[in-house]
Amino acid sequence: MIDDDDAGETLYCINHPNRETYLRCGKCERPICPRCTITTPVGARCRECAQLRRLPQYQMDLRILPYSLLGGLGTSAAGWYILSFIPFFRFFASVFVGIAIGNVMSRLAKRRTHTILAAGAVVNVALGWLIATAIRSGGDIGFVTSGGGYGGLYVALPLLLAAYFAYTRLR
Ligand SMILES: [Zn+2]
Ligand SMILES: [Zn+2]
């Protein structure tokens, strides 16, 4: 059955006022041209109505990432900074730095796991250590690259330990 009123009515796309169309959004019923139509599992939708449905997912993944990455970096820098005052406790405590970074990042990411988060955790472990060491050494790059006065193993092992625990928390 054809509705005479509707058939006689010329519709114009809400995004393209010059473009005639016979389609309407299945939700808000505004006219949309084929190019503006987004096919969803529940039918044709305009851009806005389709985005309303999708936004929560995108928010979870993309908007949360920067907070989680920055929070992890802050935790890392703070953790390594504190650790630089207790050198003999370094190996044991580096595990907790890694776990703390993983927990903070996981919490800020609403308990989501993500490849970018796991990779970011490893970067945060190293970057936070660099920041903490740079602050402790007063920005002396030579001091930083020499391992802050201690041997390479004393730097590498705690970093690897922390990276491992931060990574597994977000994997
Ligand atoms: Zn709509
Ligand atoms: Zn259009």
Side-chain angles (χ1 to χ4, degrees):
M1 181 181 142
I2 297 165
D3 188 322
D4 283 339
D5 284 349
D6 228 34
E9 190 181 356
T10 308
L11 302 174
Y12 294 95
C13 172
I14 50 166
N15 300 316
H16 305 93
N18 298 323
R19 201 172 292 169
E20 288 188 30
T21 182
Y22 299 100
L23 301 166
R24 282 174 187 275
C25 168
K27 194 178 182 206
C28 67
E29 300 199 316
R30 289 183 300 174
I32 39 173
C33 73
R35 269 186 67 186
C36 295
T37 303
I38 293 163
T39 309
T40 72
V42 288
R45 292 283 183 271
C46 69
R47 277 181 194 153
E48 285 98 306
C49 290
Q51 267 167 15
L52 281 179
R53 288 176 45 80
R54 287 181 197 171
L55 211 57
Q57 289 172 8
Y58 288 147
Q59 270 180 331
M60 287 307 241
D61 279 324
L62 297 177
R63 295 193 183 182
I64 273 168
L65 277 178
Y67 293 104
S68 178
L69 292 173
L70 277 176
L73 182 59
T75 309
S76 177
W80 292 121
Y81 185 77
I82 293 165
L83 236 71
S84 68
F85 291 98
I86 40 171
F88 296 106
F89 199 52
R90 182 174 291 115
F91 289 97
F92 190 56
S94 63
V95 173
F96 291 102
V97 172
I99 291 172
I101 292 167
N103 277 340
V104 166
M105 290 183 71
S106 174
R107 185 165 298 194
L108 288 173
K110 301 224 160 95
R111 301 279 171 214
R112 292 212 157 195
T113 54
H114 199 286
T115 320
I116 296 174
L117 284 180
V122 174
V123 174
N124 274 342
V125 167
L127 216 57
W129 177 86
L130 264 178
I131 292 169
T133 311
I135 291 169
R136 277 283 275 156
S137 64
D140 181 356
I141 299 302
F143 182 82
V144 174
T145 50
S146 73
Y150 31 85
L153 266 185
Y154 282 84
V155 176
L157 274 179
L159 281 172
L160 281 173
L161 275 172
Y164 173 79
F165 282 94
Y167 178 81
T168 47
R169 185 73 186 78
L170 293 153
R171 193 180 43 181

